[in-house]
Short mmCIF file of all heavy atoms in Angstrom, two decimals:
data_model
loop_
_atom_site.label_atom_id
_atom_site.label_comp_id
_atom_site.label_asym_id
_atom_site.label_seq_id
_atom_site.Cartn_x
_atom_site.Cartn_y
_atom_site.Cartn_z
N ALA V 29 -29.59 -0.25 -2.45
CA ALA V 29 -29.90 -1.14 -1.26
C ALA V 29 -30.26 -2.59 -1.86
O ALA V 29 -31.26 -2.62 -2.64
CB ALA V 29 -30.94 -0.67 -0.45
N ILE V 30 -29.52 -3.56 -1.59
CA ILE V 30 -29.81 -5.00 -2.04
C ILE V 30 -29.99 -5.79 -0.76
O ILE V 30 -29.03 -6.06 -0.04
CB ILE V 30 -28.75 -5.51 -2.98
CG1 ILE V 30 -28.55 -4.57 -4.12
CG2 ILE V 30 -29.11 -6.97 -3.48
CD1 ILE V 30 -27.42 -5.02 -5.11
N ASN V 31 -31.22 -6.33 -0.64
CA ASN V 31 -31.54 -7.14 0.50
C ASN V 31 -31.29 -6.46 1.85
O ASN V 31 -30.81 -7.07 2.71
CB ASN V 31 -30.74 -8.61 0.45
CG ASN V 31 -31.06 -9.32 -0.72
OD1 ASN V 31 -32.09 -9.14 -1.42
ND2 ASN V 31 -30.23 -10.27 -1.08
N GLY V 32 -31.44 -5.19 1.84
CA GLY V 32 -31.34 -4.36 3.07
C GLY V 32 -29.76 -3.82 3.28
O GLY V 32 -29.54 -3.10 4.17
N ARG V 33 -28.88 -4.43 2.45
CA ARG V 33 -27.46 -3.90 2.53
C ARG V 33 -27.31 -2.72 1.54
O ARG V 33 -27.55 -2.64 0.40
CB ARG V 33 -26.49 -5.10 2.10
CG ARG V 33 -25.05 -4.59 2.30
CD ARG V 33 -24.12 -5.64 1.57
NE ARG V 33 -24.07 -6.80 2.29
CZ ARG V 33 -23.26 -7.04 3.38
NH1 ARG V 33 -22.43 -6.07 3.70
NH2 ARG V 33 -23.27 -8.27 3.88
N VAL V 34 -26.88 -1.61 2.20
CA VAL V 34 -26.73 -0.39 1.42
C VAL V 34 -25.31 -0.16 0.97
O VAL V 34 -24.39 -0.28 1.80
CB VAL V 34 -27.24 0.85 2.36
CG1 VAL V 34 -27.35 2.19 1.56
CG2 VAL V 34 -28.56 0.56 2.96
N MET V 35 -25.25 0.20 -0.27
CA MET V 35 -23.88 0.40 -0.78
C MET V 35 -23.89 1.52 -1.76
O MET V 35 -24.92 2.13 -2.26
CB MET V 35 -23.43 -0.83 -1.58
CG MET V 35 -24.26 -1.18 -2.78
SD MET V 35 -23.87 -2.74 -3.59
CE MET V 35 -24.35 -3.90 -2.42
N THR V 36 -22.58 2.16 -1.94
CA THR V 36 -22.41 3.21 -2.96
C THR V 36 -21.78 2.46 -4.21
O THR V 36 -20.95 1.70 -4.18
CB THR V 36 -21.47 4.24 -2.43
OG1 THR V 36 -21.91 4.87 -1.17
CG2 THR V 36 -21.12 5.23 -3.35
N VAL V 37 -22.39 2.87 -5.40
CA VAL V 37 -21.90 2.52 -6.66
C VAL V 37 -21.29 3.84 -7.31
O VAL V 37 -22.19 4.60 -7.47
CB VAL V 37 -22.87 1.76 -7.54
CG1 VAL V 37 -22.28 1.46 -8.93
CG2 VAL V 37 -23.39 0.51 -6.71
N ALA V 38 -19.96 3.69 -7.60
CA ALA V 38 -19.38 4.93 -8.23
C ALA V 38 -18.76 4.48 -9.57
O ALA V 38 -18.25 3.43 -9.78
CB ALA V 38 -18.28 5.47 -7.24
N LYS V 39 -18.78 5.58 -10.43
CA LYS V 39 -18.24 5.36 -11.83
C LYS V 39 -17.11 6.30 -11.85
O LYS V 39 -17.13 7.54 -11.84
CB LYS V 39 -19.25 5.61 -12.85
CG LYS V 39 -18.80 5.49 -14.23
CD LYS V 39 -19.91 5.77 -15.30
CE LYS V 39 -19.50 5.55 -16.57
NZ LYS V 39 -20.62 5.87 -17.65
N LEU V 40 -15.92 5.82 -12.02
CA LEU V 40 -14.66 6.55 -12.07
C LEU V 40 -13.82 6.13 -13.32
O LEU V 40 -13.40 4.94 -13.38
CB LEU V 40 -13.75 6.37 -10.74
CG LEU V 40 -14.47 6.70 -9.60
CD1 LEU V 40 -13.63 6.29 -8.32
CD2 LEU V 40 -14.88 8.14 -9.44
N ALA V 41 -13.52 6.93 -14.25
CA ALA V 41 -12.72 6.76 -15.38
C ALA V 41 -13.32 5.60 -16.16
O ALA V 41 -12.58 4.75 -16.60
CB ALA V 41 -11.23 6.47 -14.99
N GLY V 42 -14.54 5.39 -16.24
CA GLY V 42 -15.22 4.43 -17.12
C GLY V 42 -15.41 3.09 -16.42
O GLY V 42 -15.89 2.08 -16.93
N THR V 43 -14.89 2.92 -15.18
CA THR V 43 -15.00 1.74 -14.38
C THR V 43 -15.86 1.94 -13.23
O THR V 43 -15.96 3.09 -12.53
CB THR V 43 -13.61 1.28 -13.85
OG1 THR V 43 -12.79 1.18 -14.98
CG2 THR V 43 -13.65 -0.09 -13.19
N CYS V 44 -16.63 0.87 -12.78
CA CYS V 44 -17.56 1.12 -11.72
C CYS V 44 -16.94 0.37 -10.40
O CYS V 44 -16.25 -0.74 -10.56
CB CYS V 44 -19.05 0.64 -11.96
SG CYS V 44 -19.11 -1.14 -12.34
N TYR V 45 -17.26 0.81 -9.25
CA TYR V 45 -16.87 0.36 -7.91
C TYR V 45 -17.99 0.27 -7.05
O TYR V 45 -18.84 1.26 -7.01
CB TYR V 45 -15.66 1.14 -7.46
CG TYR V 45 -14.46 1.29 -8.36
CD1 TYR V 45 -14.29 2.31 -9.31
CD2 TYR V 45 -13.49 0.24 -8.37
CE1 TYR V 45 -13.27 2.43 -10.25
CE2 TYR V 45 -12.37 0.38 -9.19
CZ TYR V 45 -12.34 1.43 -10.09
OH TYR V 45 -11.30 1.53 -11.02
N ALA V 46 -18.14 -0.76 -6.24
CA ALA V 46 -19.24 -0.72 -5.19
C ALA V 46 -18.52 -1.01 -3.89
O ALA V 46 -17.74 -1.91 -3.71
CB ALA V 46 -20.15 -1.83 -5.62
N PHE V 47 -19.02 -0.16 -2.85
CA PHE V 47 -18.55 -0.36 -1.60
C PHE V 47 -19.54 0.14 -0.61
O PHE V 47 -20.55 0.72 -1.08
CB PHE V 47 -17.29 0.48 -1.39
CG PHE V 47 -17.36 1.88 -2.00
CD1 PHE V 47 -17.86 2.92 -1.07
CD2 PHE V 47 -17.19 2.08 -3.21
CE1 PHE V 47 -17.85 4.22 -1.61
CE2 PHE V 47 -17.20 3.39 -3.74
CZ PHE V 47 -17.55 4.38 -3.03
N GLN V 48 -19.45 -0.27 0.76
CA GLN V 48 -20.49 0.04 1.70
C GLN V 48 -20.84 1.50 1.66
O GLN V 48 -19.88 2.35 1.65
CB GLN V 48 -20.21 -0.49 3.07
CG GLN V 48 -19.04 0.33 3.79
CD GLN V 48 -18.74 -0.33 5.16
OE1 GLN V 48 -18.28 -1.47 5.13
NE2 GLN V 48 -19.04 0.38 6.11
N GLU V 49 -22.11 1.91 1.95
CA GLU V 49 -22.49 3.27 1.95
C GLU V 49 -21.94 4.12 3.09
O GLU V 49 -21.62 5.18 2.97
CB GLU V 49 -23.96 3.34 1.91
CG GLU V 49 -24.65 4.70 2.22
CD GLU V 49 -24.54 5.73 1.18
OE1 GLU V 49 -23.76 5.66 0.30
OE2 GLU V 49 -25.17 6.69 1.27
N PHE V 50 -21.98 3.59 4.30
CA PHE V 50 -21.75 4.22 5.42
C PHE V 50 -20.22 4.23 5.81
O PHE V 50 -19.67 3.15 6.07
CB PHE V 50 -22.64 3.76 6.66
CG PHE V 50 -24.06 3.89 6.25
CD1 PHE V 50 -24.74 2.76 6.13
CD2 PHE V 50 -24.74 5.11 6.12
CE1 PHE V 50 -26.28 2.95 5.81
CE2 PHE V 50 -26.00 5.23 5.78
CZ PHE V 50 -26.78 4.11 5.61
N CYS V 51 -19.70 5.29 6.13
CA CYS V 51 -18.15 5.42 6.64
C CYS V 51 -18.10 4.71 7.94
O CYS V 51 -19.03 4.76 8.75
CB CYS V 51 -17.89 6.93 6.86
SG CYS V 51 -16.29 7.21 7.43
N THR V 52 -17.04 4.10 8.09
CA THR V 52 -16.82 3.19 9.33
C THR V 52 -16.44 4.13 10.44
O THR V 52 -16.24 3.58 11.63
CB THR V 52 -15.62 2.30 9.12
OG1 THR V 52 -14.45 2.92 8.63
CG2 THR V 52 -15.97 1.21 8.04
N HIS V 53 -16.35 5.42 10.40
CA HIS V 53 -16.04 6.35 11.56
C HIS V 53 -17.28 6.71 12.18
O HIS V 53 -17.58 6.26 13.34
CB HIS V 53 -15.28 7.55 11.09
CG HIS V 53 -15.02 8.54 12.09
ND1 HIS V 53 -15.47 9.88 11.90
CD2 HIS V 53 -14.47 8.45 13.34
CE1 HIS V 53 -15.13 10.60 13.02
NE2 HIS V 53 -14.47 9.79 13.96
N ARG V 54 -18.10 7.44 11.61
CA ARG V 54 -19.40 7.96 12.16
C ARG V 54 -20.59 7.84 11.26
O ARG V 54 -21.55 8.53 11.28
CB ARG V 54 -19.28 9.41 12.61
CG ARG V 54 -18.33 9.69 13.84
CD ARG V 54 -19.02 9.01 15.21
NE ARG V 54 -18.15 9.26 16.36
CZ ARG V 54 -17.28 8.46 16.78
NH1 ARG V 54 -16.99 7.30 16.16
NH2 ARG V 54 -16.58 8.76 17.86
N PHE V 55 -20.41 6.95 10.35
CA PHE V 55 -21.59 6.41 9.33
C PHE V 55 -22.06 7.61 8.50
O PHE V 55 -23.16 7.69 8.01
CB PHE V 55 -22.75 5.98 10.18
CG PHE V 55 -22.47 4.95 11.24
CD1 PHE V 55 -22.36 5.19 12.52
CD2 PHE V 55 -22.13 3.65 10.76
CE1 PHE V 55 -22.00 4.24 13.48
CE2 PHE V 55 -21.78 2.63 11.64
CZ PHE V 55 -21.75 2.94 12.90
N GLY V 56 -21.00 8.43 7.97
CA GLY V 56 -21.29 9.40 6.90
C GLY V 56 -21.71 8.80 5.64
O GLY V 56 -21.10 7.70 5.34
N PRO V 57 -22.57 9.35 4.82
CA PRO V 57 -22.98 8.78 3.59
C PRO V 57 -21.92 8.91 2.40
O PRO V 57 -21.75 10.05 1.95
CB PRO V 57 -24.30 9.57 3.26
CG PRO V 57 -24.08 10.85 3.86
CD PRO V 57 -23.29 10.58 5.13
N LEU V 58 -21.26 7.91 2.05
CA LEU V 58 -20.25 7.99 1.12
C LEU V 58 -20.77 8.30 -0.27
O LEU V 58 -19.96 8.72 -1.11
CB LEU V 58 -19.39 6.78 1.25
CG LEU V 58 -18.59 6.51 2.42
CD1 LEU V 58 -17.84 5.19 2.56
CD2 LEU V 58 -17.63 7.60 2.90
N SER V 59 -21.98 8.03 -0.60
CA SER V 59 -22.48 8.28 -1.89
C SER V 59 -22.59 9.87 -2.07
O SER V 59 -22.83 10.28 -3.24
CB SER V 59 -24.00 7.71 -2.03
OG SER V 59 -24.82 8.18 -1.09
N GLU V 60 -22.41 10.55 -1.04
CA GLU V 60 -22.42 12.04 -1.07
C GLU V 60 -21.04 12.70 -0.99
O GLU V 60 -20.84 13.89 -0.89
CB GLU V 60 -23.33 12.63 0.02
CG GLU V 60 -24.85 12.30 -0.13
CD GLU V 60 -25.67 12.79 0.99
OE1 GLU V 60 -25.20 13.66 1.75
OE2 GLU V 60 -26.90 12.33 0.90
N GLY V 61 -20.11 11.73 -0.97
CA GLY V 61 -18.63 12.22 -0.86
C GLY V 61 -18.05 12.75 -2.14
O GLY V 61 -18.56 12.49 -3.22
N ALA V 62 -16.86 13.22 -1.90
CA ALA V 62 -16.00 13.61 -3.25
C ALA V 62 -14.99 12.55 -3.50
O ALA V 62 -14.74 11.72 -2.60
CB ALA V 62 -15.40 14.94 -2.87
N PHE V 63 -14.49 12.65 -4.65
CA PHE V 63 -13.39 11.76 -5.09
C PHE V 63 -12.15 12.37 -5.43
O PHE V 63 -12.05 13.47 -6.03
CB PHE V 63 -13.93 10.88 -6.26
CG PHE V 63 -15.11 9.97 -5.98
CD1 PHE V 63 -16.38 10.33 -6.17
CD2 PHE V 63 -14.84 8.72 -5.50
CE1 PHE V 63 -17.49 9.58 -5.86
CE2 PHE V 63 -15.86 7.81 -5.12
CZ PHE V 63 -17.21 8.30 -5.36
N GLU V 64 -11.11 11.76 -5.00
CA GLU V 64 -9.75 12.18 -5.31
C GLU V 64 -9.02 11.00 -5.88
O GLU V 64 -8.53 10.10 -5.21
CB GLU V 64 -8.93 12.62 -4.10
CG GLU V 64 -9.58 13.85 -3.44
CD GLU V 64 -9.01 14.34 -2.20
OE1 GLU V 64 -7.91 13.60 -1.67
OE2 GLU V 64 -9.37 15.28 -1.51
N GLY V 65 -8.97 10.93 -7.19
CA GLY V 65 -8.38 9.67 -7.88
C GLY V 65 -9.33 8.53 -7.58
O GLY V 65 -10.62 8.55 -7.79
N HIS V 66 -8.86 7.48 -6.98
CA HIS V 66 -9.54 6.32 -6.61
C HIS V 66 -9.95 6.26 -5.11
O HIS V 66 -10.22 5.32 -4.57
CB HIS V 66 -8.88 4.94 -6.92
CG HIS V 66 -8.87 4.71 -8.34
ND1 HIS V 66 -7.93 5.15 -9.31
CD2 HIS V 66 -9.77 4.01 -9.27
CE1 HIS V 66 -8.15 4.78 -10.63
NE2 HIS V 66 -9.32 4.15 -10.58
N GLN V 67 -9.91 7.49 -4.46
CA GLN V 67 -10.31 7.61 -3.11
C GLN V 67 -11.55 8.30 -2.93
O GLN V 67 -11.74 9.34 -3.60
CB GLN V 67 -9.27 8.23 -2.41
CG GLN V 67 -7.74 7.50 -2.25
CD GLN V 67 -6.80 8.17 -1.51
OE1 GLN V 67 -7.05 8.99 -0.52
NE2 GLN V 67 -5.49 7.91 -1.72
N VAL V 68 -12.42 7.80 -2.03
CA VAL V 68 -13.65 8.62 -1.73
C VAL V 68 -13.38 9.32 -0.37
O VAL V 68 -12.87 8.73 0.42
CB VAL V 68 -14.80 7.66 -1.55
CG1 VAL V 68 -14.67 6.58 -0.52
CG2 VAL V 68 -16.13 8.40 -1.42
N VAL V 69 -13.86 10.49 -0.32
CA VAL V 69 -13.64 11.27 0.87
C VAL V 69 -14.97 11.48 1.56
O VAL V 69 -15.98 11.85 1.00
CB VAL V 69 -13.13 12.68 0.56
CG1 VAL V 69 -12.82 13.45 1.87
CG2 VAL V 69 -11.76 12.57 -0.20
N CYS V 70 -15.14 10.97 2.83
CA CYS V 70 -16.38 11.06 3.57
C CYS V 70 -16.78 12.59 3.62
O CYS V 70 -15.96 13.40 4.14
CB CYS V 70 -16.16 10.44 4.87
SG CYS V 70 -17.67 10.61 5.90
N PRO V 71 -18.05 12.92 3.52
CA PRO V 71 -18.44 14.28 3.47
C PRO V 71 -18.41 14.89 4.97
O PRO V 71 -18.49 16.07 5.15
CB PRO V 71 -19.83 14.26 2.85
CG PRO V 71 -20.31 12.94 3.06
CD PRO V 71 -19.08 12.04 3.00
N TRP V 72 -18.64 13.98 5.89
CA TRP V 72 -18.72 14.52 7.27
C TRP V 72 -17.42 14.78 7.97
O TRP V 72 -17.21 15.90 8.44
CB TRP V 72 -19.40 13.37 8.07
CG TRP V 72 -20.91 13.33 7.79
CD1 TRP V 72 -21.67 13.94 6.73
CD2 TRP V 72 -21.82 12.61 8.50
NE1 TRP V 72 -22.82 13.58 6.83
CE2 TRP V 72 -23.07 12.77 7.98
CE3 TRP V 72 -21.85 11.78 9.59
CZ2 TRP V 72 -24.36 12.23 8.36
CZ3 TRP V 72 -23.07 11.25 10.10
CH2 TRP V 72 -24.33 11.40 9.42
N HIS V 73 -16.43 13.91 8.00
CA HIS V 73 -15.20 14.17 8.76
C HIS V 73 -13.93 13.86 7.96
O HIS V 73 -12.91 13.74 8.50
CB HIS V 73 -15.18 13.23 9.97
CG HIS V 73 -16.39 13.44 10.85
ND1 HIS V 73 -17.31 12.49 10.98
CD2 HIS V 73 -16.82 14.53 11.54
CE1 HIS V 73 -18.37 12.95 11.77
NE2 HIS V 73 -18.07 14.03 12.24
N ARG V 74 -14.11 13.62 6.62
CA ARG V 74 -13.08 13.59 5.59
C ARG V 74 -12.11 12.40 5.74
O ARG V 74 -10.99 12.47 5.33
CB ARG V 74 -12.23 14.87 5.70
CG ARG V 74 -13.09 16.17 5.51
CD ARG V 74 -12.27 17.35 5.31
NE ARG V 74 -11.77 17.43 3.89
CZ ARG V 74 -11.22 18.40 3.30
NH1 ARG V 74 -11.02 19.51 4.04
NH2 ARG V 74 -10.79 18.44 1.94
N SER V 75 -12.62 11.26 6.27
CA SER V 75 -11.83 10.08 6.19
C SER V 75 -11.83 9.64 4.60
O SER V 75 -12.67 9.84 3.94
CB SER V 75 -12.56 8.89 6.98
OG SER V 75 -12.68 9.23 8.29
N CYS V 76 -10.72 9.08 4.24
CA CYS V 76 -10.52 8.62 2.83
C CYS V 76 -10.40 7.21 2.71
O CYS V 76 -9.63 6.45 3.61
CB CYS V 76 -9.20 9.33 2.25
SG CYS V 76 -9.30 11.13 2.18
#
C-alpha cells in the first residue's frame, strides 16, 4: 500500500510486476491468486 493505493507485486521468472490488488469484478484479493504464465487468476471467481 503506497499512499493508500493497494497493489500486488508479483515475481515471475525473475521479473517483477505490479498491478492493482483488487479484482475489477467483485474486488477479490489478487495477491492471493494463482498464476498461469503471465496471468493472475482471481481466487474468488477466477477472472484472469
Side-chain angles (χ1 to χ4, degrees):
I30 302 178
N31 298 345
R33 182 190 290 273
V34 190
M35 64 185 71
T36 299
V37 177
K39 185 178 178 184
L40 303 173
T43 302
C44 64
Y45 302 91
F47 46 91
Q48 71 180 68
E49 162 73 345
F50 302 112
C51 176
T52 58
H53 173 236
R54 289 291 184 268
F55 308 106
L58 297 179
S59 62
E60 298 180 9
F63 291 94
E64 298 175 358
H66 285 91
Q67 294 181 23
V68 60
V69 183
C70 177
W72 286 9
H73 304 111
R74 307 194 76 171
S75 294
C76 294

